[in-house]
Amino acid sequence: MHPVMALVLLPVVVVFGGDDFLSRKDFPASMVFGSASSAYQVEGAALQDGRTPTIWDTFSHAGAYNGATGDVACDAYHKYKEDVQLMVHTGLEAYRFSISWTRLIPNGRGPINPKGLKYYNSLINELLSHGIQPHVTLYHDDLPQVLEDEYGGWLSQKIIKDFTAYADVCFKEFGDRVLYWTTVNEANVFTLGGYDLGFSPPGHCSPPFGNRPCSRGNSSTEPYIAAHNILLTHSSVVRLYKRKYKSTQHGFVGLNLFAYRFIPYTNTKADEAATLRAYDFYLGWFTSPLIFGDYPVTMKRRVGSRMPTFTMQQSKQVKGAIDFIGLNHYNTKSVKDLPGALERDLRDFTTDSGAEIVFEQAGDTPIGEFPVTQPGLQAVLEHIKNSYGNLPIYIHENGQMTPRNVTLNDTSRVEYLHVYIRNLLDAVRNGSNVRGYFSWSFLDGLELLDGYESGFGLYYVDLDDKNLTRYPKLSQHWYSSFLKGKSCKSSTVISDNVSSSQSEFFS
């Protein structure tokens, strides 16, 4: 018997901390709750039906994950109907996924791949037929490799034309059924991971910076160039949508950012100032141009001539080019001042900010659990509201990283979801303009940092089974009952098997 099946069938006894009840009914009916994934992390079929390589394919095949790739992943490309049935069973109101640019347009520009078009049409229609709202991300770390090879991808402003044309195809083909569009996922992390520290595609960095050996890059300049081009590209897509599609499709276009909750490492003024700088560098880097038309003064002063500048026309185009912010939040980090950082001969993003993020908790190891302590979602939302106005926000990702193993009894993830959704409720009641929440992730897929070593999913995917069977975790049962309006708490004792314990587990 497979160990997963053994766990499903054996009785378990579980106790959770905390005893406050929580229900979907506590939130406004207008809010939407769902779960999320991205193309390369779950689709598989990487070399099938006309899809061509992306920079994430190249990155994984170069050994970033010790041989693990997204070639097969969860095979959601073939199993999408089965997965939508699991979404229905869970009670998802929405599903956030990304479109693989090279599955739809294999050469990055030019002819549409009919099989790719058919797949995304089928997925969207399957979701809608079951009352599940599609939320689509256009770019999730998977730039066509052909464009990377041709002109350097995001380091060239040629990307603006090609990405806008790609977005135009998506709006034309799917916009009659998709209302919620995100241009780029985690624009800040993508630029830092891809062009400063090298831990994500395309894997650029330069000594003495970088979390891994890099064959090319310039950590002092490339992150700022790529970010600048992302902002210009995003604003181009927003202008296209408003000019060509808004009046008939009535949709919305946003940008997604990653956000820690930052707190000072000590109560010194230096660490408190560094914490504010960290918010400016991580969030203000993208949000300030979209709201005010320019980068934060703090960044411009500290980065100096390496910071790209907007022309007057570009500033007008970028300012206001946002219908909502997609926010990915997982945990809280302490920030320590870096004295003398600006005096260093070589500087990157971290030394420019003079704010060192202190990695000191259990969740800081590649496959450690994100701690439940100090839920910071409300604090991040309050910071955005107070700094940039109370614009609409969708929590696009929130969840707990745990080692990816055979246990379905993920009690820590249940507690995490309970604590963070409770924290979200406090933020909503305090006036934060949150329109939706998506757990990360629906399935255990290929993760950006460590391949298949960790998992965030509500469903475990058995990679050793040729059918890639999905198994619901305890967190799926909890989230499902929450979504279905039952009053859930995290201190109930279960004395039953996982698969049939819902009546005993939930009030």
Side-chain angles (χ1 to χ4, degrees), residues 373-385:
T373 56
Q374 296 184 327
L377 189 51
Q378 181 180 8
V380 172
L381 291 170
E382 291 292 334
H383 174 83
I384 293 173
K385 180 174 66 174

Side-chain angles (χ1 to χ4, degrees), residues 327-373:
L327 195 66
N328 295 356
H329 171 78
Y330 291 93
N331 53 355
T332 294
K333 292 297 179 193
S334 301
V335 178
K336 183 189 295 185
D337 179 54
L338 283 175
L342 297 185
E343 299 171 8
R344 300 184 186 183
D345 292 333
L346 287 175
R347 303 209 308 265
D348 74 335
F349 180 87
T350 298
T351 46
D352 284 336
S353 70
E356 178 186 3
I357 298 176
V358 181
F359 292 88
E360 59 183 359
Q361 298 174 330
D364 299 327
T365 59
I367 55 172
E369 295 179 356
F370 285 167
V372 178
T373 56

Side-chain angles (χ1 to χ4, degrees), residues 55-56 59 64-65 141 186 188-205 211-212 214 448-449:
I55 59 173
W56 203 343
F59 187 72
Y65 309 124
D141 292 11
E186 288 187 352
N188 48 359
V189 168
F190 171 70
T191 51
L192 292 178
Y195 298 95
D196 182 357
L197 302 176
F199 64 75
S200 62
H204 287 203
C205 63
N211 293 345
R212 59 188 293 275
C214 299
L448 178 67
L449 297 180

Side-chain angles (χ1 to χ4, degrees), residues 68-255:
T69 72
D71 287 359
V72 177
C74 304
D75 197 26
Y77 181 75
H78 295 108
K79 297 171 75 70
Y80 73 92
K81 287 188 177 182
E82 173 186 330
D83 289 337
V84 172
Q85 286 302 315
L86 296 179
M87 295 175 204
V88 173
H89 175 70
T90 303
L92 296 191
E93 300 164 5
Y95 179 55
R96 176 182 175 240
F97 63 96
S98 73
I99 290 174
S100 171
W101 187 342
T102 62
R103 193 179 296 285
L104 187 63
I105 307 175
N107 293 320
R109 66 172 79 91
I112 298 172
N113 175 20
K115 291 185 178 179
L117 180 64
K118 179 181 178 181
Y119 168 69
Y120 290 113
N121 269 323
S122 298
L123 173 59
I124 291 167
N125 291 341
E126 189 73 12
L127 290 168
L128 290 172
S129 70
H130 293 283
I132 299 173
Q133 193 179 87
H135 287 238
V136 174
T137 300
L138 294 174
Y139 181 81
H140 198 121
D141 292 11
D142 50 359
L143 180 78
Q145 185 63 46
V146 64
L147 301 184
E148 179 75 12
D149 294 339
E150 181 182 332
Y151 54 72
W154 291 104
L155 296 177
S156 169
Q157 292 196 3
K158 292 181 180 179
I159 190 70
I160 300 172
K161 179 180 179 181
D162 286 337
F163 191 97
T164 304
Y166 158 58
D168 195 5
V169 170
C170 293
F171 296 151
K172 178 182 178 182
E173 299 293 342
F174 313 124
D176 59 329
R177 289 152 292 154
V178 175
L179 293 177
Y180 303 95
W181 299 94
T182 302
T183 52
V184 177
N185 179 74
E186 288 187 352
N188 48 359
V189 168
F190 171 70
T191 51
L192 292 178
Y195 298 95
D196 182 357
L197 302 176
F199 64 75
S200 62
H204 287 203
C205 63
S206 61
F209 312 106
N211 293 345
R212 59 188 293 275
C214 299
S215 60
R216 57 181 174 172
N218 186 329
S219 298
S220 295
T221 59
E222 287 189 359
Y224 301 114
I225 295 170
H228 196 71
N229 291 336
I230 286 174
L231 282 164
L232 294 177
T233 301
H234 167 81
S235 65
S236 173
V237 171
V238 171
R239 293 197 312 275
L240 166 75
Y241 190 84
K242 289 183 177 178
R243 181 181 71 252
K244 194 171 179 181
Y245 297 102
K246 181 74 172 181
S247 63
T248 56
Q249 296 182 359
H250 311 294
F252 307 91
V253 183
L255 182 73

